[in-house]
Amino acid sequence: MAVIGKDILKASSLLEQGKLVAIPTETVYGLAANALDTTAVAGIFRAKNRPTFDPLIIHTYSIEKAKEYVTEFPTELEKLAKAYWPGPLTLLLPKKNVIPDLVTSGLFDVAIRIPNHPLTLELLQQLKFPLAAPSANPFGYVSPTKPEHVNKQLGNEVDYILDGGACEVGIESTIVGMENGKVCVYRLGGLTIDQIENVIGKIELKINSSDNPTSPGQLHSHYAPMKKLVIGNVEELLKQYENAGVLSFGDKSYEVYTYELSRTADLTEAAANLFAGLRALDESKVEIIITEYLPAIGLGIAINDRLTRAAAEK
Ligand code: TXA
Ligand code: MG
């Protein structure tokens, strides 16, 4: 098991030595290493058992810093950065040579974001390099939203876990890039489509669900618990399945083990509880997890996307 603490100096000194440190962000915990050090980055792939065709997001603390790692920052994307950084927004921008090919899996664009968490922002300001950090979970499993989640699954792989408490947003960042001069969203996440369109107008959605994706955040089966997850009419499904537990939304009561995403049907609260809920049900005695789609508005769209992928056959 790894040490969990709030010591930024310890975290920065380990990272300077090329070690792995789990860092808190507003979305989910990240498994961080020096993004400019290929050996350190290789350690991330090894620890997560992640295929090297799945590129990593780099994290920095200012737009000026981000510009040091890219050859171009299109106006539309810069508008989004100014409006929503630090925040749950990742931008795909053409990379400079300083960013190792391993980070981008050989792609021309690098994914960059400024996370909105005071501890991690302070850490990033102290470091002379950006941090490559995927979600701190074994490949394909549910992302961690608390330090203990990281410790349970990757405790033997990380050198330190920086404790920033529970993640406030709870689902990963929204990934945005450009294609043929048009702004496209590649992964739904903590920043809603409405929030993006309020700043730059209509955008395109490129959310594939295939088993051979160009952006592996789009893998059909992803964010998955170990147990079978079934989505539909909860009351009906409870009649069909024995030993089931429910991931519930709104003011409802069931006779079986239930994890409440939000009793008041608040989508922000539901997003923050989503992954912890899947974990709790996974660790409980139930054999099947039953849930329903949430209202497809705002964060509900990204939550439903995660549920669909979590329910997909592995
Ligand atoms: O909220 C988040 O984004 C969290 C926190 C830790 O920042 N990170 C995260 O990383 O979710 P990860 O690795 O679990 O998911 C990143 C996704 C991957 O599915 C990857 O395919 C996509 O971003 N991605 C990264 N670099 C890319 C690139 N250059 N082009 C296209 N997609 C990219
Ligand atoms: Mg991930």
Short mmCIF file of all heavy atoms in Angstrom, two decimals, residues 48 50 134-135 137 141 143 172 187 222-223, ligand 2:
data_model
loop_
_atom_site.label_atom_id
_atom_site.label_comp_id
_atom_site.label_asym_id
_atom_site.label_seq_id
_atom_site.Cartn_x
_atom_site.Cartn_y
_atom_site.Cartn_z
N LYS A 48 -0.61 0.77 -14.92
CA LYS A 48 -2.04 0.66 -15.23
C LYS A 48 -2.37 -0.56 -16.08
O LYS A 48 -3.53 -0.85 -16.32
CB LYS A 48 -2.49 1.89 -16.04
CG LYS A 48 -2.82 3.09 -15.23
CD LYS A 48 -3.54 4.13 -16.09
CE LYS A 48 -4.86 3.66 -16.64
NZ LYS A 48 -6.00 4.52 -16.45
N ARG A 50 -1.82 -0.53 -19.19
CA ARG A 50 -2.52 0.20 -20.25
C ARG A 50 -1.79 0.01 -21.56
O ARG A 50 -0.56 0.14 -21.63
CB ARG A 50 -2.53 1.68 -19.87
CG ARG A 50 -3.17 2.63 -20.89
CD ARG A 50 -3.18 4.02 -20.28
NE ARG A 50 -3.62 5.07 -21.14
CZ ARG A 50 -4.66 5.87 -20.85
NH1 ARG A 50 -5.35 5.68 -19.75
NH2 ARG A 50 -4.97 6.87 -21.64
N PRO A 134 -3.13 9.76 -16.62
CA PRO A 134 -4.41 9.14 -16.91
C PRO A 134 -5.15 8.94 -15.59
O PRO A 134 -4.57 9.17 -14.53
CB PRO A 134 -4.02 7.78 -17.50
CG PRO A 134 -2.75 7.44 -16.79
CD PRO A 134 -2.05 8.75 -16.52
N SER A 135 -6.39 8.54 -15.65
CA SER A 135 -7.10 8.23 -14.41
C SER A 135 -6.34 7.10 -13.69
O SER A 135 -5.81 6.19 -14.33
CB SER A 135 -8.54 7.81 -14.72
OG SER A 135 -8.57 6.79 -15.70
N ASN A 137 -6.56 4.23 -12.30
CA ASN A 137 -7.21 2.92 -12.14
C ASN A 137 -6.55 1.94 -13.10
O ASN A 137 -5.99 2.36 -14.11
CB ASN A 137 -8.70 3.05 -12.49
CG ASN A 137 -8.90 3.73 -13.83
OD1 ASN A 137 -8.88 4.96 -13.93
ND2 ASN A 137 -9.06 2.94 -14.87
N TYR A 141 -11.05 -0.16 -15.89
CA TYR A 141 -11.88 -0.19 -14.69
C TYR A 141 -12.37 1.23 -14.36
O TYR A 141 -11.94 2.22 -14.93
CB TYR A 141 -11.09 -0.82 -13.53
CG TYR A 141 -11.98 -1.21 -12.37
CD1 TYR A 141 -12.86 -2.28 -12.48
CD2 TYR A 141 -11.97 -0.47 -11.19
CE1 TYR A 141 -13.71 -2.61 -11.43
CE2 TYR A 141 -12.81 -0.79 -10.14
CZ TYR A 141 -13.68 -1.86 -10.27
OH TYR A 141 -14.53 -2.18 -9.24
N SER A 143 -12.93 4.78 -12.76
CA SER A 143 -11.96 5.78 -12.30
C SER A 143 -12.10 6.05 -10.80
O SER A 143 -13.20 5.97 -10.25
CB SER A 143 -12.16 7.10 -13.05
OG SER A 143 -11.93 6.93 -14.42
N GLU A 172 -14.71 12.20 -15.75
CA GLU A 172 -13.54 12.72 -16.42
C GLU A 172 -13.84 13.99 -17.23
O GLU A 172 -15.00 14.30 -17.52
CB GLU A 172 -12.93 11.66 -17.34
CG GLU A 172 -12.46 10.41 -16.64
CD GLU A 172 -13.57 9.39 -16.40
OE1 GLU A 172 -14.76 9.73 -16.58
OE2 GLU A 172 -13.23 8.25 -16.04
N ARG A 187 -14.95 13.24 -26.22
CA ARG A 187 -15.39 12.50 -25.04
C ARG A 187 -16.28 13.42 -24.21
O ARG A 187 -15.89 14.55 -23.91
CB ARG A 187 -14.20 12.05 -24.17
CG ARG A 187 -14.64 11.32 -22.89
CD ARG A 187 -13.46 10.75 -22.08
NE ARG A 187 -12.74 11.79 -21.37
CZ ARG A 187 -11.70 11.56 -20.57
NH1 ARG A 187 -11.26 10.31 -20.39
NH2 ARG A 187 -11.09 12.56 -19.95
N HIS A 222 -15.78 0.26 -21.06
CA HIS A 222 -14.83 1.09 -20.35
C HIS A 222 -15.49 1.50 -19.05
O HIS A 222 -16.69 1.37 -18.90
CB HIS A 222 -14.54 2.32 -21.20
CG HIS A 222 -13.13 2.82 -21.04
ND1 HIS A 222 -12.23 2.78 -22.06
CD2 HIS A 222 -12.46 3.35 -20.00
CE1 HIS A 222 -11.07 3.29 -21.65
NE2 HIS A 222 -11.19 3.64 -20.40
N TYR A 223 -14.72 2.02 -18.12
CA TYR A 223 -15.27 2.49 -16.85
C TYR A 223 -16.10 1.39 -16.20
O TYR A 223 -17.12 1.63 -15.58
CB TYR A 223 -16.19 3.71 -17.06
CG TYR A 223 -15.63 4.75 -17.96
CD1 TYR A 223 -16.06 4.89 -19.27
CD2 TYR A 223 -14.64 5.61 -17.49
CE1 TYR A 223 -15.53 5.86 -20.09
CE2 TYR A 223 -14.11 6.59 -18.30
CZ TYR A 223 -14.56 6.71 -19.61
OH TYR A 223 -14.04 7.66 -20.41
MG MG B 2 -9.34 6.53 -17.72
#
